[in-house]
Amino acid sequence: MDLSFSPEHEAFRKRVRGWIRTHMPKKEKDAQPLEFGDPKRIAAMKQWQRHLHEAGFVALGWPKEYGGQAAGIVEQTIVNEELLLARAPGLIGMMGIQMVGPTLIQFGTEEQKRRYLPKILTADDIWCQGYSEPGSGSDLASLKTRAELVGDQFIINGQKVWTSNAQFADWMFCLVRTDPDAPKHRGISYVLIDMKTPGITVRPLIQMTGDAGFNEVFFEDVRVPRTNLIGELNQGWLIANATLAHERNMLGSTTRTQQMFNGLVRLAKVHRRYGRPAAADPVMRQRLADLEIRVAAMKYHSFRQLTDAIKKRPTGIAASVNKLVSTELNHDIAACAMEVMGSYGTLARTSRRVIDRGMWPVEFMFTLGLVIGGGTSQIQKNIISERGLGMPR
Ligand SMILES: Cc1cc2nc3c(=O)[nH]c(=O)nc-3n(C[C@H](O)[C@H](O)[C@H](O)COP(=O)(O)OP(=O)(O)OC[C@H]3O[C@@H](n4cnc5c(N)ncnc54)[C@H](O)[C@@H]3O)c2cc1C
C-alpha cells in the first residue's frame, strides 16, 4: 500500500499553501462568533469564501458548468487539510457546499442545478437544513411539517428545531410531509424554501457554549412554488438520506482531530499538576497514548474512504463510521484537556488566567453537540450494525 501523495499532488499542495499564506484574512481582535449574526462578520466570511472560490479552491470536484473545477477528490482533500493546518477561517457556506450542493448534482433538474449551485460557491446563498422537529430527531421519518399541494404551490405549516445558521441563511433544504396517509417513509418530500418567504419566523436557541448557533423555525401558510421540489413528490426520503451521508462526512475531519490532539499534547507538556508537567504522570501518558492510537486509526480509516472514492467503489457505512469515531474522539480529547487543566478549565473565556484563550471548555461543550447533531452515536451504531454487519433490527 502506498499512502504517499504523487509529485503532482505535492506540487498542488505547495501552490495551495502559498496562496493561503498570502491571502488569509487577518484575525480580527474580539471578533464575535459567527452565530451572533453580526452583518460585518458575515460579509467578511462571504468575502473569504468568494476569494477561495475565485482561486479555484472551493468544491473542486463539482462539474465546471456549475462553477466547480472537475478536479479529483485528492485535490479537495489537500485544500481542506491546508486550510485547517493554516487555521484559516471556516467556510460560511459549508452546508451548501457539502450537503445540498452534492445532493442537487445527484437529484436536481438541469434548471435547478444552474439556478442554485453557482450561488452556493460564491456565498451569495447561504443554506440551512430543515430536518429535525420537536419529537422527530432520531426518528426523522415521523416528521409532521405539512406541505399541501394547491395548484402549482405548496402551502407549508409546521415547525423545525435545532436549525443551525437559520438566523442568517438565505435558503433552507427542508423535509415536509406531502402525503399524511402513506407509510411514514413514503409521504415525505424534499423542498427548497427561500427564507425570506412571508410566514417564516426564526427564533434563536442558546446553546450551552453561550452562543446561539441554532434556532426554532416556524412556518405559517408559507407558499413555495412546486418547481422547488427536488426529485419526485413523496420520494424525499431517499434524497434526504443522500444529504445525510454527505453531512456525516463533513462532521469528521482527520486533520482537525489531529490538530486538537497536538494541542492537547502541548498543553499536557506545559501545564503542571502535582508539581510536574501533566504529561510526566504515567496514568496521563497512558490516556494520551490511547487517544493517539485512536487518532491514527481514524486517519487510516479516512485513507480507506479516500481510496474507495478515487476508485468509485460504494462507500457503504463508511460515513457513519467516520461520524461516530471522529465526533466521540474529538469530545474525548477535549475532556482529557479539561482534566489536565483541572480547575483552570472552569474559567470564563474572558478571564485573565484562562489557558489557550479558553478554547478547551468551548470545545468540550461544542464537540458534545456534534456527537448528537447529524444523527447521534447510538443511531450511527444502529446503522453500522444493521446495514454494515447485517445484524437483525
Ligand atoms: C449542534 C447541533 C446542531 C444541529 N443542527 C441541526 C440542523 O442544522 N438541522 C436539523 O435539522 N437538525 C439539527 N440538529 C438536530 C439533530 O439532528 C438531532 O438533535 C439528532 O438527530 C437527535 O435527535 P433528538 O435531539 O430529537 O434526540 P432523540 O431522537 O429524542 O434522542 C434522544 C436519545 O435517545 C437515543 N435514541 C433515540 N432513538 C434511538 C434508537 N432507535 N436506538 C438507540 N438509541 C436511540 C438517542 O441516541 C439519544 O441519546 C442539530 C443538533 C445539534 C446538537
Side-chain angles (χ1 to χ4, degrees):
M1 191 183 298
D2 180 7
L3 293 176
S4 52
F5 287 93
S6 69
E8 293 77 33
H9 286 142
E10 288 300 354
F12 177 71
R13 183 186 291 281
K14 222 170 134 189
R15 183 161 76 79
V16 175
R17 191 170 290 180
W19 188 92
I20 295 174
R21 202 177 299 133
T22 38
H23 292 84
M24 197 162 96
K26 290 212 168 47
K27 271 219 166 69
E28 274 179 60
K29 261 199 183 156
D30 306 323
Q32 293 259 39
L34 186 62
E35 287 78 10
F36 286 89
D38 171 13
K40 248 176 70 191
R41 176 133 164 79
I42 290 174
M45 295 282 291
K46 285 187 169 191
Q47 184 60 22
W48 168 235
Q49 180 174 319
R50 219 164 278 143
H51 254 130
L52 269 169
H53 172 53
E54 282 159 12
F57 296 146
V58 177
L60 278 91
W62 288 18
K64 284 203 166 149
E65 59 267 38
Y66 311 124
Q69 304 294 317
I73 184 146
V74 179
E75 282 83 352
Q76 184 65 70
T77 306
I78 289 172
V79 171
N80 295 350
E81 275 182 15
E82 290 301 319
L83 286 170
L84 277 163
L85 288 171
R87 295 181 193 279
L91 294 187
I92 188 170
M94 218 50 192
M95 286 204 205
I97 297 165
Q98 294 248 14
M99 293 170 70
V100 71
T103 308
L104 287 175
I105 290 174
Q106 198 179 347
F107 296 99
T109 61
E110 190 53 33
E111 200 188 330
Q112 287 167 337
K113 290 182 206 179
R114 290 197 184 274
R115 175 157 169 15
Y116 296 110
L117 293 174
K119 286 190 174 185
I120 289 176
L121 299 181
T122 54
D124 286 313
D125 287 345
I126 303 300
W127 288 77
C128 64
Q129 176 191 28
Y131 276 28
S132 307
E133 297 181 6
S136 301
S138 301
D139 183 15
L140 183 60
S142 68
L143 63 93
K144 294 188 183 62
T145 293
R146 181 81 172 94
E148 223 177 316
L149 195 53
V150 180
D152 57 359
Q153 286 187 327
F154 291 106
I155 300 181
I156 302 182
N157 283 284
Q159 186 201 338
K160 296 289 169 182
V161 73
W162 320 125
T163 320
S164 305
N165 301 348
Q167 69 274 40
F168 54 80
D170 304 289
W171 284 87
M172 172 188 278
F173 51 99
C174 186
L175 297 182
V176 289
R177 184 151 305 280
T178 36
D179 184 353
D181 301 322
K184 62 180 182 179
H185 294 89
R186 297 207 206 113
I188 293 171
S189 298
Y190 192 108
V191 292
L192 309 182
I193 303 177
D194 183 339
M195 292 296 281
K196 287 182 282 302
T197 317
I200 299 179
T201 309
V202 176
R203 265 200 234 147
L205 291 165
I206 308 290
Q207 292 162 258
M208 64 176 159
T209 53
D211 305 329
F214 47 36
N215 305 266
E216 296 176 295
V217 181
F218 299 88
F219 300 94
E220 259 178 89
D221 289 332
V222 174
R223 290 172 179 270
V224 173
R226 186 183 176 139
T227 46
N228 289 20
L229 173 73
I230 305 301
E232 300 288 318
L233 191 69
N234 298 322
Q235 301 296 315
W237 187 245
L238 170 81
I239 307 173
N241 274 293
T243 308
L244 280 176
H246 295 303
E247 177 178 24
R248 284 167 190 153
N249 280 325
M250 175 178 81
L251 293 172
S253 152
T254 315
T255 315
R256 178 170 139 71
T257 303
Q258 181 74 58
Q259 264 182 330
M260 267 180 84
F261 179 72
N262 294 348
L264 167 64
V265 172
R266 263 196 312 273
L267 176 75
K269 281 183 176 167
V270 174
H271 194 75
R272 297 178 79 80
R273 291 187 347 156
Y274 314 118
R276 60 181 178 178
D281 174 348
V283 176
M284 182 54 74
R285 292 179 79 79
Q286 189 63 41
R287 280 276 292 281
L288 293 173
D290 177 51
L291 287 169
E292 184 160 21
I293 290 165
R294 288 169 62 192
V295 174
M298 180 180 159
K299 189 160 93 189
Y300 291 113
H301 171 72
S302 77
F303 282 153
R304 182 165 54 186
Q305 222 181 333
L306 188 59
T307 311
D308 283 342
I310 294 167
K311 303 209 163 170
K312 303 208 180 327
R313 287 196 293 244
T315 50
I317 46 146
S320 283
V321 173
N322 197 7
K323 201 273 166 180
L324 172 69
V325 168
S326 61
T327 54
E328 294 209 339
L329 181 51
N330 289 347
H331 185 61
D332 288 349
I333 291 172
C336 187
M338 292 293 277
E339 210 178 305
V340 167
M341 292 190 298
S343 28
Y344 283 89
T346 59
L347 291 178
R349 260 184 273 192
T350 45
S351 167
R352 216 163 37 90
R353 291 180 183 276
V354 84
I355 295 173
D356 285 348
R357 299 186 315 281
M359 66 166 266
W360 291 111
V362 178
E363 285 288 1
F364 178 66
M365 292 183 276
F366 184 72
T367 53
L368 184 59
L370 295 187
V371 170
I372 301 166
T376 65
S377 285
Q378 287 78 16
I379 295 303
Q380 304 313 319
K381 285 178 187 169
N382 285 351
I383 294 172
I384 293 164
S385 58
E386 288 163 13
R387 294 186 211 161
L389 306 175
M391 290 167 75
R393 273 174 171 261

